Amino acid sequence: MSMALDRPEAARRGISEQAVATTLIGALVVALIVIIAIPLWALLSKSAQDSNGAFVGVDNFVRYFSTPALVRSLVNSVWVSALATAIVVPLAFVYAYALTRSCMPAKGLFTALSLLPIFAPSLLSAISLIYIFGNQGFLKGWLFGNTIYGPLGIVFAQVTYCFPHAVMIIVTALRMADGRLYEVADALGTSKSRIFFTVTLPGARYGLISAAFVVFTMVITDFGIPKVIGGQFNVLATDAYKQIVGQQNFEMGAVVGLILLAPAVLAFFVDRMVQQKQVALLSARAVPYEPKPQPVRDYALMVYCLLIGCVLLAMLGVAVWASFIRYWPYNLTYTLANYQFANFEPAGWGSYWTSIQMALCVAGFGTALIFAGAYLVEKTKASPFLRAAAHFFAMLPMAVPGLVLGLGYVFFVNAPWNPLGVFYGTVTVLAVNTIAHFYTVAHITAITALKQIDAEFESVSASLKVPFWVTFRRVTVPICLPAILDIAVYMFVNALTTVSAVIFLYGATTKLASIAIVHMDESGATAAAAAMATCIVLTAIAAKLLQLALDRLVFGRMQAWRKR
Amino acid sequence: MLSRMTIDRPKTGQESGAADAFLVIRNVTKTFGTFTALQDIDLDVRRGEFVCFLGPSGCGKTTLLRAIAGLDQQTSGTISINGRDVSHAPPSARDFGIVFQSYALFPNLTVNDNIGYGLVNQRRPKAEIAGRVAELLKLVGLPEQGTKYPVQLSGGQQQRVALARALATSPGLLLLDEPLSALDARVRLRLRDEIRTLQRRLGVTTIMVTHDQEEALSMADRIVVMNHGVIEQVGTPEEIYLKPETAFAADFVGRMSFLAGVARGGGTVDVNGITLRCADDRGMAAGSRVEVGLRPEAIQVRGVTGKEANALSVTVEDLEFLGSFCRARLNAGGRLELLADFSANLMRDMKVEAGQTLAVALPADALRVFPARNTA
């Protein structure tokens, strides 16, 4: 190579800048391998071992499929998930249609209503259902002797829990409509229904497919709802819990985990395929669709949204209300007694504060790691191979349900060879697991925000001999503050509400609020469980409101440069 | 517009005459997979020169600029700036300032902070930076705008700020990547003059990438015409326009009629049975397929007696009104077709109308002979 030996000062620094970038990306890849890839590998290898750690190939799978009780859970899981999906997707489609394609009033309110379940742990809707239709429920008679404890309750609760996710996906798909197509169809004298079936539905087709897969995966891997309202009805997620926590049968737990991985991985690839097609659907010259008022349709849709919104609100509100009731349903006077958590759980309020502590760690460290990592992947030019590797590992958690990742962590952290074993049961491992669990969505948000920034900023900085980390601090971070805040709140809310990943990982002194809810419900203290869930919901909503306020007030003033 | 300011001349190293090569590019090749974006480029740029890379999109001009900057390194070949081999140096070790079509101003920083961005990193005293920034703002004609944010400025003003930022550290080389393409036509014309004047005053070696031939002709000391990753011709604007060496260069810069023919040797070309005399047949072997090019304004109409070389009788097939002149399509008995520009004056004097027959001459020294292109 014809490298000049008498390289001046600037050249040496330039080389080291490149070296810094390469080192940082290397460190990022190592971190992602440790927190994502190795736990998954641990799960995978565990499923092929016997209890002594010897390799047994597919023996565990053979044993699984020859145990009728376990196979029944698989069948149960599949049909319950399919049914919930078949109900959610059409409901969400009409709701999303109303939000995007009608002129109904109060769209903001209805959007907010549809997102409500996101701020609660999944099992909150199950607790509400128990209060409404359970043994002591005030509408128990509506079930005509059927019991809510079982598939009926699971499906109902899952529908509420998955609804916001389905609505968000379909809304995005419906928004990407070319208004000109509708004008052309109109100009050709096409009937409204024909336009719907030839333009609207095909346009949203990919969104619907994507939503169906996402919902199916969410339902089949969710642990909280079947745990609370499943009764004697076994599903895969509760099986995994019983195998691991109840029977200490780690190998069989690993097998169940891997079976749960299948639909999630399938959903992941379908989603990626669908997204590529969806993008191609909308050309750069498309004009956004603007709905025109049609009073009959608009009011019909509003009534529909109001109905759904009330159900969603009730699924949240009943549990909140019940948490203030002295003794359901016999003594309906109000009390704060259910919030004296020490009376129901040894940890008392401690678990709430542990949750807050963990969620703050996740929001703080997680956001810093994810955003800086996304910057390295998107904006630096060092080592294309390492950057591609980092991006791959960052996208991986999307295909891994929380329960599966949690299992992987159990095997990984408890492995005798692992020096990180000392972290078992600490807030650190809970936080790291949660960061890994929700990494992908935050990573995509960061990448999207970074892509919107002029790609030449780094080139300009290099020409001015300013190293990239100065530009990162002085320009990139300030520009991306709203996205960074968005990621932080997303991480915070999910860290508060997650159950499935952390249920295997907490220690004696680090029981999280969401786990305390499961335990209090298990021991019959449903009102206290509802009370704890209420605390989580209120905290999560407060965090979201704080974000909106910050966005509007502080950033509005601080970031005068955004306005003309 | 430009104030009388003293501004430090770029660091020039050991001066060794005005004609020494400041930038030397040798055998530079750049491939993306199987696609060759640059093929074996050799180019010298003299100190203080203003050079334009001109060509259609995809011709490799931006790739070459980015290779010079070190933003996308060449696959092979060497680049040296001011006598120093920088072929493998990162951008920060190359001593250049760059301006992009998108301005790439940092939106969250004021105009002052944008211009001072590279200075702050040199750890110079605050007062010195402030003084330098004010000086640069005056230089680009934007005094008093320093506390504004980029969004509060017009496109032309933003591009001036980007220019000031690129010049702030007194780089030896200024790179301009289609700096005027995002601007309105009027602003573009004004900024064109300003950049040229500024460049002359500072004497900074400048390379500008553009696809606009008019921009290149009016601004450059020398133009590098590029196509498909190779240099077609390097020359002054006059050379490029009047003596294009390839049919591509002739076609891309200005308008030219092309007539397919066969060289007959001795400065003559046969075009569909019409023999044309050319002052310079560039040594084309007799019998080889050639193209003869003629600028529309070079056709002689006044005072044609029929005795001139290449005198023809043509029919005016069609007239296109273009304001100060008309562009006519002329046909010589179906054997050759030419474009001719007739000034408004000529139109009035000769009462030119469509369908009319005219006697014209094709001046032998205005006919350029090229080897036939494959597509033609």
Side-chain angles (χ1 to χ4, degrees):
Chain A
M1 284 284 158
S2 59
M3 294 278 225
L5 286 173
D6 56 342
R7 207 174 273 290
E9 175 63 25
R12 276 202 299 278
R13 196 187 52 206
I15 289 291
S16 77
E17 193 182 324
Q18 183 89 357
V20 169
T22 311
T23 313
L24 285 176
I25 297 168
L28 175 70
V29 171
V30 170
L32 291 177
I33 288 177
V34 171
I35 71 173
I36 294 165
I38 300 186
L40 282 178
W41 172 250
L43 173 74
L44 210 64
S45 58
K46 195 61 145 187
S47 70
Q49 290 171 359
D50 66 12
S51 52
N52 298 319
F55 181 79
V56 293
V58 294
D59 274 14
N60 290 326
F61 289 86
V62 172
R63 200 144 53 87
Y64 178 93
F65 284 104
S66 51
T67 313
L70 291 176
V71 174
R72 201 172 312 122
S73 300
L74 175 61
V75 174
N76 285 347
S77 270
V78 170
W79 78 258
V80 162
S81 306
L83 182 60
T85 308
I87 296 171
V88 170
V89 173
L91 285 180
F93 177 79
V94 177
Y95 201 97
Y97 186 85
L99 288 180
T100 51
R101 298 295 177 83
S102 79
C103 289
M104 71 173 181
K107 280 187 191 171
L109 174 74
F110 286 117
T111 307
L113 271 180
S114 75
L115 296 182
L116 219 42
I118 286 185
F119 298 99
S122 64
L123 38 71
L124 183 77
S125 54
I127 293 177
S128 283
L129 277 182
I130 290 177
Y131 277 113
I132 302 171
F133 299 111
N135 288 335
Q136 259 106 41
F138 51 92
L139 295 180
K140 192 185 170 198
W142 287 23
L143 297 179
F144 303 109
N146 293 309
T147 175
I148 196 76
Y149 302 98
L152 186 63
I154 293 177
V155 171
F156 197 159
Q158 295 286 16
V159 166
T160 341
Y161 166 58
C162 300
F163 188 76
H165 299 272
V167 168
M168 281 192 288
I169 294 169
I170 300 172
V171 160
T172 311
L174 285 174
R175 281 241 168 85
M176 296 215 285
D178 187 349
R180 295 277 185 257
L181 284 182
Y182 288 84
E183 289 171 10
V184 168
D186 253 348
L188 295 171
T190 320
S191 71
K192 290 273 174 269
S193 63
R194 181 139 183 263
I195 290 180
F196 180 84
F197 284 109
T198 55
V199 182
T200 308
L201 214 49
R205 169 172 79 219
Y206 297 124
L208 289 171
I209 296 171
S210 177
F213 274 92
V214 167
V215 169
F216 187 87
T217 309
M218 282 182 76
V219 175
I220 205 165
T221 59
D222 180 67
F223 166 75
I225 289 172
K227 179 80 182 71
V228 169
I229 207 168
Q232 300 305 309
F233 187 80
N234 287 325
V235 293
L236 287 173
T238 49
D239 268 2
Y241 179 70
K242 282 181 203 153
Q243 295 289 345
I244 299 279
V245 176
Q247 306 172 16
Q248 303 279 310
N249 187 346
F250 294 117
E251 297 70 37
M252 210 39 90
V255 170
V256 177
L258 274 184
I259 292 172
L260 281 174
L261 196 55
V265 170
L266 184 66
F268 175 76
F269 284 109
V270 167
D271 194 55
R272 295 205 66 166
M273 214 171 69
V274 156
Q275 274 189 2
Q276 277 160 9
K277 295 205 170 164
Q278 182 85 60
V279 172
L281 211 61
L282 195 68
S283 68
R285 287 170 165 247
V287 179
Y289 175 76
E290 292 283 349
K292 292 185 195 69
Q294 281 181 40
V296 176
R297 176 200 68 183
D298 292 348
Y299 281 98
L301 285 172
M302 191 184 75
V303 169
Y304 171 81
C305 290
L306 206 57
L307 218 64
I308 298 267
C310 284
V311 172
L312 295 179
L313 199 59
M315 295 295 275
L316 197 80
V318 169
V320 173
W321 176 42
S323 74
F324 293 104
I325 296 296
R326 195 169 296 278
Y327 191 57
W328 186 280
Y330 306 108
N331 183 350
L332 295 181
T333 53
Y334 293 108
T335 175
L336 285 175
N338 299 317
Y339 286 80
Q340 308 295 319
F341 297 124
N343 296 340
F344 310 96
E345 261 277 311
W349 272 91
S351 55
Y352 174 76
W353 296 116
T354 309
S355 266
I356 296 285
Q357 190 195 350
M358 197 274 274
L360 286 175
C361 280
V362 167
F365 295 117
T367 307
L369 173 74
I370 292 166
F371 189 78
Y375 177 84
L376 290 171
V377 167
E378 179 66 27
K379 294 289 182 182
T380 62
K381 291 199 173 145
S383 180
F385 171 75
L386 283 178
R387 282 188 294 132
H391 188 65
F392 171 78
F393 287 123
M395 296 304 288
L396 205 55
M398 178 84 109
V400 183
L403 197 74
V404 178
L405 192 67
L407 281 173
Y409 265 70
V410 173
F411 304 139
F412 170 55
V413 181
N414 284 329
W417 47 264
N418 190 349
L420 299 174
V422 292
F423 288 110
Y424 188 67
T426 61
V427 172
T428 309
V429 83
L430 293 172
V432 168
N433 169 270
T434 308
I435 291 171
H437 183 186
F438 298 105
Y439 201 102
T440 308
V441 172
H443 176 74
I444 293 172
T445 309
I447 291 276
T448 310
L450 288 167
K451 272 196 199 297
Q452 286 166 357
I453 299 181
D454 196 318
E456 306 295 7
F457 281 179
E458 275 64 32
S459 305
V460 168
S461 305
S463 80
L464 296 171
K465 304 183 176 44
V466 177
F468 72 85
W469 53 87
V470 173
T471 303
F472 177 71
R473 175 174 56 80
R474 281 194 67 193
V475 178
T476 314
V477 168
I479 292 178
C480 291
L481 263 186
I484 292 173
L485 192 66
D486 201 29
I487 294 171
V489 170
Y490 169 82
M491 297 301 276
F492 182 83
V493 168
N494 277 302
L496 278 186
T497 57
T498 186
V499 181
S500 54
V502 290
I503 190 99
F504 306 110
L505 293 171
Y506 71 92
T509 59
T510 56
K511 188 187 275 187
L512 297 171
S514 53
I515 299 165
I517 297 171
V518 174
H519 289 175
M520 289 192 280
D521 176 74
E522 227 168 13
S523 62
T526 313
M532 186 64 97
T534 303
C535 293
I536 290 184
V537 172
L538 293 180
T539 313
I541 291 179
K544 189 70 193 174
L545 292 178
L546 188 69
Q547 181 200 351
L548 293 178
L550 271 177
D551 253 350
R552 207 158 284 172
L553 298 173
V554 182
F555 289 167
R557 207 161 303 161
M558 248 170 54
Q559 308 208 316
W561 49 268
R562 282 190 200 281
K563 296 192 202 89
R564 202 164 249 282
Chain B
M1 176 116 254
L2 293 167
S3 56
R4 290 248 135 254
M5 292 286 309
T6 49
I7 199 113
D8 6 334
R9 293 263 314 209
K11 298 158 280 186
T12 47
Q14 321 96 312
E15 293 270 3
S16 53
D20 63 340
F22 181 76
L23 172 72
V24 179
I25 297 170
R26 287 290 172 269
N27 310 106
V28 163
T29 296
K30 172 82 182 177
T31 54
F32 297 102
T34 56
F35 175 72
T36 305
L38 291 176
Q39 197 175 352
D40 217 13
I41 300 286
D42 284 330
L43 183 68
D44 288 359
V45 176
R46 289 188 288 272
R47 191 181 303 281
E49 199 176 21
F50 193 123
V51 169
C52 273
F53 292 173
L54 176 67
S57 56
C59 72
K61 55 192 192 295
T62 296
T63 311
L64 184 56
L65 188 86
R66 292 180 72 89
I68 294 168
L71 297 169
D72 293 317
Q73 288 213 345
Q74 70 280 11
T75 313
S76 63
T78 60
I79 295 171
S80 66
I81 299 177
N82 203 11
R84 191 161 62 84
D85 181 4
V86 294
S87 309
H88 303 283
S92 55
R94 292 194 181 201
D95 188 33
F96 66 92
I98 191 163
V99 175
F100 292 104
Q101 181 180 349
S102 65
Y103 325 134
L105 292 178
F106 304 125
N108 61 320
L109 301 181
T110 60
V111 167
N112 280 335
D113 288 343
N114 263 289
I115 297 175
Y117 198 78
L119 301 171
V120 170
N121 207 56
Q122 295 178 348
R123 301 187 190 286
R124 300 215 205 149
K126 270 213 172 99
E128 190 191 320
I129 293 174
R132 174 79 177 148
V133 167
E135 194 183 12
L136 285 157
L137 272 175
K138 267 194 194 164
L139 189 71
V140 298
L142 292 172
E144 334 267 300
Q145 306 276 7
T147 53
K148 287 190 177 169
Y149 287 103
V151 284
Q152 296 166 308
L153 302 179
S154 70
Q157 289 173 322
Q158 290 191 51
Q159 199 55 297
R160 287 195 187 102
V161 174
L163 190 62
R165 180 177 64 182
L167 291 170
T169 52
S170 306
L173 183 62
L174 179 62
L175 304 177
L176 308 170
D177 186 4
E178 306 231 7
L180 305 174
S181 303
L183 301 172
D184 298 340
R186 265 173 195 286
V187 183
R188 202 183 305 174
L189 284 180
R190 206 169 62 222
L191 211 52
R192 197 198 267 179
D193 291 343
E194 283 180 33
I195 291 178
R196 186 67 182 116
T197 315
L198 193 63
Q199 191 271 337
R200 287 237 168 88
R201 273 200 29 221
L202 299 179
V204 55
T205 312
T206 302
I207 297 174
M208 181 170 96
V209 161
T210 181
H211 61 263
D212 183 337
Q213 40 144 327
E214 212 181 294
E215 222 167 83
L217 289 171
S218 70
M219 294 175 81
D221 292 324
R222 280 197 303 157
I223 295 175
V224 177
V225 181
M226 297 182 66
N227 189 31
H228 294 311
V230 298
I231 293 178
E232 293 269 340
Q233 186 175 359
V234 182
T236 63
E238 292 76 19
E239 285 168 353
I240 300 281
Y241 190 80
L242 298 174
K243 298 207 176 319
E245 278 168 17
T246 65
F248 173 83
D251 203 12
F252 193 75
V253 180
R255 285 302 297 262
M256 191 170 258
S257 314
F258 288 100
L259 310 168
V262 179
R264 288 282 173 249
T268 57
V269 174
D270 178 89
V271 176
N272 288 337
I274 298 177
T275 302
L276 296 177
R277 288 210 64 80
C278 306
D280 174 13
D281 71 356
R282 303 174 76 201
M284 293 289 170
S288 60
R289 287 180 54 237
V290 296
E291 283 182 69
V292 179
L294 182 67
R295 299 274 181 213
E297 69 274 15
I299 291 180
Q300 188 190 346
V301 187
R302 289 182 199 261
V304 175
T305 60
K307 298 205 173 74
E308 295 84 354
N310 306 329
L312 291 171
S313 170
V314 294
T315 316
V316 179
E317 291 219 311
D318 182 55
L319 281 169
E320 185 185 3
F321 179 67
L322 290 166
S324 58
F325 67 95
C326 273
R327 180 156 292 161
R329 201 146 51 81
L330 308 179
N331 196 322
R335 297 201 280 189
L336 56 81
E337 201 172 85
L338 289 166
L339 291 177
D341 286 355
F342 296 155
S343 69
N345 237 327
L346 184 115
M347 296 285 293
R348 196 177 48 241
D349 293 354
M350 314 257 318
K351 297 193 174 58
V352 178
E353 278 173 13
Q356 189 182 353
T357 305
L358 281 177
V360 300
L362 316 183
D365 56 354
L367 289 174
R368 297 289 296 170
V369 180
F370 310 106
R373 287 174 288 189
N374 294 333
T375 48

